Amino acid sequence: MKVRVKMFANLQEISGTSEVFLDAETVLSALDQLVRMFEGLKPEIFEDYERKQLMARIKIMVNGTSIDYIDGLKTVLREGDRVAVFPILAGG
Amino acid sequence: MTSKILRVDMNELKVSCEEVPERWRNLGGRALTSTIVAEEVPPTCHPLGPRNKLVFASGIVTGTSAPTSGRISVGGKSPLTGGIKEANAGTSFAQKLARAGIKAIIVQGMSKDKYYLLNIAKGKRDLIEATPWCGRGLYEAFAQLREKFGKDVAICATGIAGELSGAAAGVAFNDIEGLSSRYAGRGGLGAVMATRGLKFIVVDDEGGPGVEIKDKELFKKGTKKLTDALTTHGVTKPGGTLNTYGTDALINVINEAGALPHRNFSSGYDELAPLVGGEKKAETIKKRGGERPHMCSPGCIIQCSEVWVKEGGKDPVGVLEYESVWALGPNCGIYNLDDVGELNRACNDLGVDTIEMGDTIAVAMEGGLAKFGDGKKALELMEEIRKGTPLGRILANGTEFTGKALGVTRIPTVKGQGIPAYDPRPIKGIGVTYATTPMGADHTAGYAIAPEILGVGGKVDPLDTKKADLSRGLQQATAFIDTSGYCLFIAFAVMDIPEGLEGAVESCNAVLGTKWTVNDAVALGAKVLDIERNFNKAAGLTRAHDRIPEFMKLEPLPPKNVVYDVTDAELDKVYPN
Ligand code: SF4
């Protein structure tokens, strides 16, 4: 499935880009490819890469819905999905 | 206790110092302004008539060395909502007022025909005629006042919009550069100030008594706990997201969540949003030689602020906050930071609240006065306020007034106040806060976005419609923070790090000599809300006013295509009595 992965805040600075297009069946596969493309993102996204454990505060949305309310890292992606990855942030 | 209440009688042009009554002693900020307004202002009075009052109070720890605590509350009956209002700002004015030994200023009565400046300096509390600075933009006026009274004075003002009695008029304060960019913006209190005949307050705290701290050891302990929390948490620490990108980092996350209102709340997502996001803005400021990070008031360790400048580093505006960028940008279909910067400059110059003005312009665009996306025309509309034309007077009265004048039915307001930068249709809890806070649509009153979207202070599903308990708890905690003098942004850290909240409460205890627990602090917040709601009830506001605009229940918001479906019964559960 061709999907669009968007990165924000310091993730943009680390990767030097704001989005990439990937072929991925699940969110985990998309993130896996992302951190292999940009090694510097690994410690920002994964607390424990081997165990595929995400950083506590990293936020991942698929088409605007947090994966916490879909199927976590196992969330299945469809053609044209938009995956957004944010570090912890807030404002007001 | 050395601090005093300053009563400014604009009928008699008399300023008097009063002892602080026992019952007000342990109050500050919002608790104090709301208590004074509830005691002294008849709830049914006309907000711009002779019986309304305007009250200023710094927070409990403001003026001490407590971190991130330069906040001032301004209170009165709101011409926008018809209810009680507390609006607050971060500014050195708050700290100087507290250090000058003034716990609150109560401005009452109305001068006959002239505008005045209240000059508070060593041994002086004088009312001076302010006519020379009337009808002028506030950037120019602030520069002239600093020229006349000294570079280190702090300034508070109402602008041209206030002079027009516009319900969108805010109360302006100086930032650390002396620009008129810090606002207690919401609710039209600038019009209350102007109708008293008070145009400016200038404060010089030199030689003032300072803020007494009853227990210095406890103060040290409490502020250290808070400082540790602020410098550890990913949102508030140096180099954290607030410090690096400012509040505007939210543009992208809220847009991605499908909840950033575009073109007068007609869509929740647009591909163009990143053009005005915090990432883009921080990069532009760096290139142009503006400032980022920056603090709105001395002693802030979060430093979320900035100085936006034009190409070539010229013409500083001050901060472009998330709310302002959204209101004057995507909400008007404008995705150009330079246009947003100039619109924000116009707001600061004319003395209007950026959120209210952004909502107003978007409604005016929907009503056919300009095309969505036309930044130049939006600026021309704002210039109508400067000229005082009939159209300018309509716009200066805010979103609802403008919508009615133009026959627009999609009017995003609650209790007459413009809805801020989160569409409540896909984020239900923030809608519960908009509907039920005594303040009218106000995100800061109970910031449900933190757990609903940001995963700060817990995690809850934004689409879950059972949010009464969440909103009530946040509203109570917020009412306490608004009382303490700490910036609300400490909440991001202290919601996740309990020792930080303990430290904030301990620092208040240290100043006052009280023995509050964290629960007592939240109970004080609940009491403040009771006072405010009772005022509103007596002013004629009912449960029918605790509602989200009808169009949000009828029109699904793309791209999630959801309506606002929290039941009235759930909204009424926030305040069962
Ligand atoms: S965090 Fe931002 S708004 Fe709050 S006091 Fe600091 S600079 Fe001002």
Side-chain angles (χ1 to χ4, degrees):
Chain A
M1 299 298 152
K2 195 145 187 119
V3 298
R4 177 181 180 196
V5 181
K6 298 171 83 174
M7 293 159 274
F8 297 97
N10 66 333
L11 308 181
Q12 285 185 0
E13 282 181 35
I14 293 166
S15 65
T17 183
S18 59
E19 62 180 29
V20 291
F21 290 85
L22 303 169
D23 259 316
E25 302 292 323
T26 63
V27 168
L28 179 58
S29 144
L31 294 180
D32 211 10
Q33 291 180 55
L34 193 69
V35 300
R36 275 189 272 128
M37 286 168 89
F38 307 105
E39 189 63 25
L41 290 181
K42 204 185 263 181
E44 301 294 323
I45 294 178
F46 287 102
E47 172 91 53
D48 185 335
Y49 177 68
E50 301 312 320
R51 294 191 186 159
K52 305 299 179 215
Q53 202 183 326
L54 288 176
M55 290 295 284
R57 293 284 172 63
I58 196 91
K59 193 156 309 309
I60 296 157
M61 294 179 193
V62 176
N63 302 327
T65 300
S66 165
I67 59 166
D68 294 341
Y69 306 110
I70 317 176
D71 206 6
L73 285 173
K74 291 191 219 129
T75 299
V76 173
L77 298 175
R78 285 167 308 184
E79 187 74 16
D81 274 354
R82 196 176 81 238
V83 180
V85 190
F86 293 92
I88 184 169
L89 54 80
Chain B
M1 176 77 86
T2 48
S3 69
K4 298 275 191 289
I5 303 288
L6 208 63
R7 196 174 286 275
V8 184
D9 184 335
M10 298 303 296
N11 289 331
E12 306 291 330
L13 299 179
K14 243 179 62 191
V15 184
S16 48
C17 261
E18 297 174 4
E19 293 302 321
V20 178
E22 191 56 41
R23 64 186 186 285
W24 294 352
R25 278 243 157 121
N26 293 337
L27 305 178
R30 175 171 170 186
L32 188 53
T33 61
S34 288
T35 300
I36 294 176
V37 171
E39 283 185 25
E40 298 199 0
V41 174
T44 53
C45 74
H46 193 298
L48 303 182
R51 295 194 299 166
N52 199 4
K53 298 187 182 185
L54 190 69
V55 183
F56 297 83
S58 303
I60 291 169
V61 300
T62 305
T64 69
S65 60
T68 311
S69 67
R71 306 296 296 191
I72 187 151
S73 290
V74 189
K77 178 170 173 172
S78 163
L80 203 56
T81 69
I84 199 165
K85 173 57 62 182
E86 183 268 354
N88 63 64
T91 166
S92 66
F93 185 95
Q95 296 158 315
K96 285 184 187 284
L97 191 69
R99 289 191 203 121
I102 295 168
K103 191 166 177 76
I105 305 176
I106 305 173
V107 186
Q108 60 192 46
M110 297 166 92
S111 73
K112 284 195 192 64
D113 46 11
K114 291 182 183 140
Y115 284 108
Y116 290 87
L117 177 154
L118 173 63
N119 183 28
I120 300 171
K122 207 173 180 179
K124 273 194 207 153
R125 278 99 178 86
D126 299 335
L127 282 165
I128 302 166
E129 209 188 306
T131 318
W133 298 290
C134 290
R136 285 172 195 262
L138 289 178
Y139 282 96
E140 184 192 0
F142 272 47
Q144 291 179 352
L145 290 171
R146 291 173 76 224
E147 201 60 46
K148 179 171 168 69
F149 292 95
K151 289 268 175 276
D152 288 335
V153 297
I155 304 169
C156 161
T158 180
I160 291 170
E163 291 174 35
L164 297 177
S165 299
V171 176
F173 295 93
N174 61 281
D175 63 15
I176 60 170
E177 325 291 330
L179 306 173
S180 58
S181 73
R182 306 303 312 190
Y183 269 75
R186 309 237 59 200
L189 293 176
V192 179
M193 184 166 171
T195 47
R196 304 312 87 197
L198 186 65
K199 180 77 180 150
F200 300 102
I201 304 173
V202 173
V203 182
D204 183 350
D205 63 341
E206 208 194 303
V211 177
E212 187 187 1
I213 297 173
K214 295 259 168 64
D215 184 339
K216 294 204 170 67
E217 271 314 300
L218 183 63
F219 184 78
K220 237 162 100 185
K221 185 176 146 215
T223 50
K224 174 160 189 330
K225 277 158 102 172
L226 177 60
T227 302
D228 288 348
L230 295 177
T231 51
T232 314
H233 196 278
V235 170
T236 53
K237 68 182 183 189
T241 42
L242 270 176
N243 184 262
T244 308
Y245 303 103
T247 54
D248 198 31
L250 280 176
I251 286 278
N252 285 317
V253 71
I254 304 302
N255 187 54
E256 284 298 325
L260 188 73
H262 297 268
R263 298 172 294 281
N264 192 28
F265 291 78
S266 62
S267 175
Y269 178 82
D270 196 295
E271 282 287 328
L272 298 176
L275 294 175
V276 292
E279 294 88 337
K280 173 87 182 162
K281 178 145 61 72
E283 183 196 313
T284 312
I285 289 175
K286 202 167 159 194
K287 262 193 219 143
R288 292 184 176 181
E291 275 193 54
R292 149 114 269 140
H294 183 262
M295 51 183 141
C296 71
S297 49
C300 178
I301 55 178
I302 301 175
Q303 303 191 4
C304 77
S305 191
E306 69 199 6
V307 181
W308 171 259
V309 288
K310 277 188 187 162
E311 195 87 58
K314 292 186 309 243
D315 296 341
V317 173
V319 62
L320 307 185
E321 299 283 10
Y322 163 65
E323 289 292 335
S324 310
V325 170
W326 156 77
L328 302 163
N331 192 40
C332 296
I334 295 170
Y335 300 92
N336 174 319
L337 277 171
D338 281 309
D339 283 348
V340 170
E342 289 315 293
L343 287 165
N344 203 136
R345 183 197 307 281
C347 288
N348 292 349
D349 204 40
L350 295 165
V352 285
D353 176 31
T354 50
I355 298 177
E356 197 60 45
M357 201 32 57
D359 278 343
T360 301
I361 292 173
V363 161
M365 286 173 159
E366 177 140 351
L369 294 191
K371 288 206 170 61
F372 282 111
D374 190 342
K376 304 291 170 281
K377 185 72 191 169
L379 207 51
E380 279 170 37
L381 288 177
M382 292 199 59
E383 287 306 305
E384 298 288 323
I385 299 176
R386 196 183 304 278
K387 290 185 242 158
T389 62
L391 174 58
R393 287 172 175 272
I394 290 172
L395 298 171
N397 267 296
T399 316
E400 190 149 310
F401 196 92
T402 301
K404 283 180 181 167
L406 299 174
V408 173
T409 52
R410 192 192 288 131
I411 302 179
T413 57
V414 177
K415 298 185 181 73
Q417 181 167 286
I419 293 185
Y422 313 87
D423 196 302
R425 283 168 279 188
I427 316 180
K428 312 296 180 188
I430 196 68
V432 176
T433 295
Y434 291 161
T436 60
T437 163
M439 295 298 144
D442 179 354
H443 61 296
T444 67
Y447 192 62
I449 299 300
E452 289 187 294
I453 298 291
L454 308 172
V456 172
K459 252 186 203 176
V460 292
D461 182 351
L463 293 175
D464 178 4
T465 55
K466 299 283 178 238
K467 294 282 172 58
D469 294 341
L470 173 75
S471 177
R472 186 193 315 105
L474 289 167
Q475 290 189 45
Q476 292 171 346
T478 302
F480 170 70
I481 294 180
D482 289 345
T483 295
S484 69
Y486 285 114
C487 172
L488 191 54
F489 292 165
I490 71 159
F492 298 127
V494 305
M495 281 196 294
D496 285 331
I497 306 173
E499 296 76 29
L501 183 56
E502 274 166 32
V505 175
E506 281 166 6
S507 65
C508 290
N509 284 333
V511 169
L512 298 170
T514 46
K515 292 197 165 15
W516 295 339
T517 61
V518 166
N519 286 344
D520 294 335
V522 176
L524 173 60
K527 196 172 152 209
V528 173
L529 288 162
D530 263 355
I531 291 169
E532 292 169 349
R533 280 187 58 83
N534 285 336
F535 182 98
N536 283 1
K537 274 188 212 165
L541 296 179
T542 67
R543 291 212 183 281
H545 297 94
D546 285 353
R547 298 292 180 258
I548 288 296
E550 186 189 36
F551 79 87
M552 293 186 169
K553 298 181 196 167
L554 303 177
E555 290 178 25
L557 180 76
K560 288 202 169 155
N561 295 316
V562 284
V563 295
Y564 196 70
D565 54 357
V566 174
T567 62
D568 289 353
E570 182 71 11
L571 294 176
D572 294 343
K573 245 177 75 186
V574 177
Y575 297 108
N577 300 310

